[in-house]
Amino acid sequence: MIQPGVDLVIAALQRIRETTDHAPRASKNALAQLQSAHVAFPEEGCVSHEERQVQQTTSSKAQNLAAVRERVCGCTKCAHLARSRTQTVFGVGNPDAEIMFIGEAPGADEDQQGEPFVGRAGQLLTKIIKAMGFAREDVYIANILKCRPDMPAGSFGNRAPTPAEMQTCRPYLVEQINIIQPRVLVALGAVAVEGLLGARGTMRELRGRWHSYNGTPLMITYHPAYLLRNQSPSEKRKVWEDMMQVLERLEKPISDKQRSYFL
């Protein structure tokens, strides 16, 4: 702790005062640094045991995620993706998140910025998160793949990851989930479901009901990109109904405004 260290400095200065003819001196800068240290680090008794545990847990999770991120950054298991990517896209958000959103693979915008869901689909996801009563920084967002799937020269758009690519990259996502330990997982789209559970199915069959991933409740819903292609109010409403189920599972209050909300 910083406080005992400050006390030792003060005691040493007092001894100098008592044993020499010259008063101890310190620069204004040094005094300012000592004062800021005294203010910034309160005595241990000022922080509760529970608060220290939360701080230590969050710090530990962040460190563990950083270690996984470092391995992802240097990953070349899919040589063709390592050659074509601008950078890896690991994940972003709160290490202590209650909700973890999982998409399929980075697109062009994500490949450029190194952050998942930053394009048009990402903006819609952020809107959904805010409507749920959270900030984007409160949740955690990741993808099955950490690299953008390569595209033939001269072609545009994005392609879905192959089963082999998802199987190769999946262990990184598993590590993220195990570290964060969210209360609820949300899989965005059928590809994310396949990468996470290894199962295929139509979204009509999968979405809107609870599944399980290693004991963690899993809600499956449409990918935001689907809603950008299909502007039907009924499809948008389905996604919102899925998110209200998530709020209910988390025992969060749902306002009348939220119950009547459309994306």
Side-chain angles (χ1 to χ4, degrees), residues 100-222:
M100 184 170 176
F101 291 89
I102 300 171
E104 53 181 64
D109 292 322
E110 290 75 19
D111 179 65
Q112 288 294 324
Q113 297 187 40
E115 183 175 327
F117 284 91
V118 293
R120 290 180 63 223
Q123 293 168 15
L124 180 53
L125 177 60
T126 300
K127 180 181 177 182
I128 293 170
I129 292 168
K130 288 182 177 179
M132 295 174 71
F134 295 93
R136 184 178 167 99
E137 295 76 19
D138 295 332
V139 305
Y140 198 90
I141 306 172
N143 284 313
I144 299 292
L145 246 62
K146 309 308 183 190
C147 297
R148 184 192 181 199
D150 56 340
M151 297 289 290
S155 61
F156 299 94
N158 301 304
R159 72 165 175 85
T162 67
E165 290 167 344
M166 290 191 286
Q167 186 65 27
T168 301
C169 204
R170 185 176 182 275
Y172 293 130
L173 177 66
V174 172
E175 285 191 81
Q176 287 174 294
I177 295 172
N178 290 342
I179 292 170
I180 296 167
Q181 298 181 355
R183 291 178 61 191
V184 172
L185 292 166
V186 178
L188 302 169
V191 175
V193 175
E194 181 181 353
L196 192 62
L197 300 181
R200 292 191 178 190
T202 66
M203 288 302 295
R204 186 173 299 176
E205 298 169 336
L206 296 171
R207 63 144 294 274
R209 58 187 180 87
W210 287 104
H211 304 256
S212 178
Y213 169 81
N214 288 350
T216 302
L218 169 65
M219 175 57 65
I220 298 171
T221 195
Y222 290 117

Side-chain angles (χ1 to χ4, degrees), residues 16-37:
I16 294 172
R17 181 188 296 276
E18 294 171 352
T19 58
T20 68
D21 295 331
H22 301 286
R25 294 182 179 181
S27 68
K28 291 182 179 180
N29 183 50
L31 290 173
Q33 289 179 345
L34 280 173
Q35 186 177 24
S36 65

